[in-house]
Amino acid sequence: MEDVDTGAQTAPSFWQRIGPRVVALVALVGPAAAVFLSQHWHLRSELRQKLTETQPPTGYAIETTATKAAPQVNRLAPGVNPTATAPISVDIIASPPRSVTDQPAALQLTTQPAGATFAVYPGIIADKAAPVSAPLRTGTSPDTAEDLRGGNYTIFFHKDGWPDSRTEVQLQAGEVRPVEYAFFHGEVTITSVPNGAEILCGTVSLGFTPLTVALPAGNQVLTARLKNYPDRTQNVTIDENATSTIEFQMRTRRRTAKSKPTPPPPLIERVGGSLKHFFGGNPTPTPRKKR
């Protein structure tokens, strides 16, 4: 550079020397910086949106483990509400399902007539053999024997006035099996004249006439009992799977008539008779009948 006045050459200043270099550097770096800043701003906006979407709402737990409780604050600043503690979620592990062979089974027991007691024993017990172990279940029909395993069972039945009996069943795991057992019996329709008599089979009361009951097959002795009447008894034969009809004729007790004693004569008549006998008076003659 030349001085205007003197025409001598002068050295350029610092800014004159660095200015073109700065301009060239900005020309080279400027576009790259603009691209970088625009991409950085766009990525920052997407990241902020993702954080907003994935942030859990208030009141739900992020972790399943318990966190250390915050220290208790004795005093609260005015106008500031305490933040509710987030609940702790607990994972419940369900027990594994039972296998088919472990499923409990049951027996629904009914008898005819009802009211018989039963006892359930494991395995098959031979006829006329007594059980050697305690029963698994007992009860009075109708009833249900529950929590049994699959297998064979022997059931004993008992009812007063009836012969004891038994039956065998096979039970599958998970099965609820109905068992209906009928004693060997026949039905009897019983009436009485008059009605309302109590009927006894041995010492067991069957009810009051008229009635229809089931009785053990074979020979039975029935008694009818009614107030103010003597007991009546009949020997009957009960046929299996048959219905019989029996009637009791109640008879009243016979009353025997008693003769009334002759009252003694009055005292005056006795004294008069004694005086007549003493003085020899003749008795009054009996009047004769006219022919």
Side-chain angles (χ1 to χ4, degrees), residues 78-91:
V80 178
N81 296 326
T83 304
T85 305
I88 301 173
S89 59
V90 179
D91 295 334

Side-chain angles (χ1 to χ4, degrees), residues 137-155:
R137 301 290 183 273
T138 59
T140 302
S141 67
D143 199 358
T144 302
E146 299 178 336
D147 295 332
L148 298 174
R149 294 181 176 272
N152 296 322
Y153 295 90
T154 301
I155 309 172

Side-chain angles (χ1 to χ4, degrees), residues 5 15 21 23 31 41 51 80-82 87 89 116 155 167 172 186 208 230 246 273 289:
D5 297 332
W15 293 110
R21 297 179 182 179
V23 172
W41 182 261
L51 290 176
V80 178
N81 296 326
S89 59
I155 309 172
T167 187
Q172 302 294 331
F208 297 86
I246 301 173
K289 294 181 180 180

Side-chain angles (χ1 to χ4, degrees), residues 33-153:
V35 173
F36 174 79
L37 290 176
S38 62
Q39 292 181 355
H40 176 70
W41 182 261
H42 180 67
L43 292 175
R44 184 176 180 183
S45 300
E46 291 181 354
L47 181 60
R48 181 180 299 174
Q49 183 178 1
K50 289 182 179 180
L51 290 176
T52 304
E53 293 176 354
T54 58
Q55 184 177 2
T58 305
Y60 289 85
I62 300 177
E63 298 180 357
T64 58
T65 57
T67 57
K68 187 175 180 181
Q72 185 177 2
V73 179
N74 295 329
R75 296 181 180 179
L76 298 175
V80 178
N81 296 326
T83 304
T85 305
I88 301 173
S89 59
V90 179
D91 295 334
I92 300 177
I93 302 176
S95 58
R98 292 184 176 181
S99 62
V100 177
T101 57
D102 292 338
Q103 294 295 329
L107 292 171
Q108 293 179 342
L109 298 166
T110 56
T111 60
Q112 186 179 2
T117 60
F118 64 84
V120 181
Y121 292 88
I124 301 298
I125 302 176
D127 241 358
K128 298 182 180 180
V132 296
S133 62
L136 298 177
R137 301 290 183 273
T138 59
T140 302
S141 67
D143 199 358
T144 302
E146 299 178 336
D147 295 332
L148 298 174
R149 294 181 176 272
N152 296 322
Y153 295 90

